[in-house]
Amino acid sequence: TLDARDVYAEAARPWTPAPIAADASPEERQRLSVANEIVATEIDFVKDVAFLTVAYAQPLRHSPHGLSQAEYLALFNNLDPILIISLELLQKLQAAGDTGVGATFLALADFLKCYTSFCSSQQARIDTLRAAVKRSSDFRRFIADVKQRPESRHLDLDSFLMRPVQRICKYPLLLRELRKVTRDPRQAADLDAAIAKIQRVVDMINTSTRSIENQKLIRDLRPRLANYADYLDTHGDLMVP
């Protein structure tokens, strides 16, 4: 079993960015700068997901502080696979160097589908968190105490819960920036393929999110549309603009 504390320690280890030679061309400088940014921001992301796990998910699993089991699952379910794949991605990026970014993402792109379950239920997660904070003073005290820890950087729980959504959407943008300044044919081909695969994951998340939101809207409207109950039962997957 992966220990989130070990993951945090691993991500916090010193990392040396790829050096930029004094005589490097502006394009090469930009390429190395973007490659280094990808790794540096992945380090920050892994640390944040590990902290979310260690400081919030694991303690609340054993001592709920007023959080129901259903609320716990709504907040933290499917977080562990993201921690596992993000650490794997970080380790491989650090080992591959600036020339292997595309190949690394291409090799792991299919595993990024694990983000779909977590990210597509983001609105339900926000609603659950707000309801729990409003209802339980014990839960409010718990998250306020965690916020004071140095690793939290004074960020709220909802900020940490947003990180996987933000990160998966950021990958195609970062890789496109790298692709613009990559001239090596093999590296360029790997980046093109990786971008296409990861963009499909992002599109899946967006589609699933819209479907979940539409289903919730239909459920909310049902009491006011009692005369159309049979129609709604038949067209439960109705896409509401």
Side-chain angles (χ1 to χ4, degrees), residues 6 28 51-52 62 85 118 120 130 133 164 191 199 221 240:
D6 292 339
E28 179 64 8
F51 179 75
L52 175 61
H62 301 293
I85 190 59
F118 186 90
S120 60
R130 288 174 179 170
V133 167
L191 284 167
Q199 187 61 55
L221 287 173
V240 180

Side-chain angles (χ1 to χ4, degrees), residues 163-190:
R163 291 289 278 127
V165 179
Q166 295 167 338
R167 190 59 181 168
I168 191 68
C169 293
K170 188 73 172 177
Y171 286 142
L173 302 177
L174 289 168
L175 293 178
R176 287 189 183 102
E177 286 300 308
L178 185 61
R179 176 63 181 87
K180 290 177 184 176
V181 287
T182 297
R183 296 291 171 260
D184 180 89
R186 178 60 182 272
Q187 293 178 39
D190 287 341

Side-chain angles (χ1 to χ4, degrees), residues 64-83:
H65 291 279
L67 203 66
S68 71
Q69 183 178 15
E71 288 171 330
Y72 178 87
L73 292 174
L75 291 176
F76 303 111
N77 202 28
N78 299 306
L79 181 62
D80 287 349
I82 293 176
L83 181 61

